[in-house]
Amino acid sequence: MSAPATERGTTGVFSPGRARILVRTLREDRWWVPPLLTVLGLSAFIIYATVRSFVRRAYWVEDYHYLTPFYSPCLSESCVPGSSHFGTPFPELPIWIPLGFVVLPFLLGFRLTCYYYRKAYYRSIWFSPPACAVAEPHSRYTGETRLPLIIQNAHRYFFYAAVIVSVINTYDAITAFHGKGGGFGFGLGNVILIVNVVLLWIYTISCHSCRHVTGGRLKHFSAHPIRYRMWTQVSKLNTRHMQFAWITLGTLVLTDFYVMLVASGTISDLRFVG
Ligand code: FES
């Protein structure tokens, strides 16, 4: 993973003044397991989400108004009738543009700039460093001070966009309480959509930027009791941010997969009402 001792330069962890350790690491545990699992998990999600975003099939259940989050909001005339909750301001789209193109860049930006995901892919993909006390292969380190990584500092703005997307997903989940012949209906799909949107909210609210929005830049918490209380609650969620990051990748896939199965007629929705 790191260069052999004979090829190493004199910068980074091999700079003069750093401990002269000639082996890659002195660790004897299986430090490479977490980065490997991270690569496998992220790759699986990216492949699934990319395929599903482009197939343009089985994303809307007309009978029960289930819409997969990967296609929400669906804003073009290419969307199947009924799936466009906010109208169709865009014309027919060529096949290479995903129907969820309006929000996908923001969701991607939100996850890519997330403090947890940064740690995850810096370690597992960029090996910078791959683990604590394991030398990285790079000889230079410029941090997040220049392009492209300086964009990481825009995370707060992606957080604002993610809040709007969560509101849209919430609207989708509420309008999905729809019976086959109209009126109120309730099935297993509703349970899945609601659980997914609740977990998306928890992941979004547990964001480090949200923590700063609620309690940052305050000199005296005692003078801002409401913001202090909000900050306290967000901070509690924030300690589980990594778990919510992974759980929501799973629930997004599960939700989309269930909608796909029902929309394609592979299975029937388990109905409780309507
Ligand atoms: Fe992870 Fe903001 S830090 S979403």
Side-chain angles (χ1 to χ4, degrees), residues 5-25:
T6 52
E7 296 174 15
R8 288 172 183 165
T10 54
T11 56
V13 294
F14 307 113
S15 308
R18 302 291 292 266
R20 297 186 63 78
I21 300 172
L22 297 181
V23 291
R24 177 173 56 189
T25 179

Side-chain angles (χ1 to χ4, degrees), residues 49-183:
T50 304
V51 171
R52 278 294 290 152
S53 295
F54 281 97
V55 293
R56 293 193 181 187
R57 282 203 301 271
Y59 58 88
W60 166 250
V61 180
E62 174 62 31
D63 285 345
Y64 310 126
H65 290 193
Y66 296 158
L67 177 64
T68 169
F70 290 166
Y71 285 71
S72 174
C74 212
L75 297 173
S76 91
E77 288 169 4
S78 300
C79 303
V80 293
S83 64
S84 301
H85 295 155
F86 303 95
T88 54
F90 297 97
E92 296 265 345
L93 296 175
I95 200 73
W96 47 270
I97 298 182
L99 296 185
F101 76 103
V102 173
V103 297
L104 288 178
F106 295 103
L107 288 182
L108 194 63
F110 185 49
R111 298 258 172 180
L112 276 179
T113 60
C114 164
Y115 287 36
Y116 165 66
Y117 285 114
R118 273 143 82 172
K119 172 192 159 190
Y121 65 75
Y122 283 172
R123 288 193 170 188
S124 60
I125 295 172
W126 192 237
F127 302 140
S128 181
C132 291
V134 179
E136 60 182 300
H138 312 289
S139 59
R140 289 176 66 236
Y141 176 76
T142 55
E144 296 169 341
T145 58
R146 60 186 67 174
L147 281 172
L149 293 185
I150 199 170
I151 296 171
Q152 305 283 30
N153 295 296
H155 183 63
R156 166 181 288 228
Y157 303 102
F158 286 119
F159 163 73
Y160 296 143
V163 170
I164 295 171
V165 176
S166 294
V167 171
I168 293 170
N169 290 156
T170 305
Y171 180 84
D172 293 340
I174 292 171
T175 56
F177 286 99
H178 188 274
K180 193 165 190 170

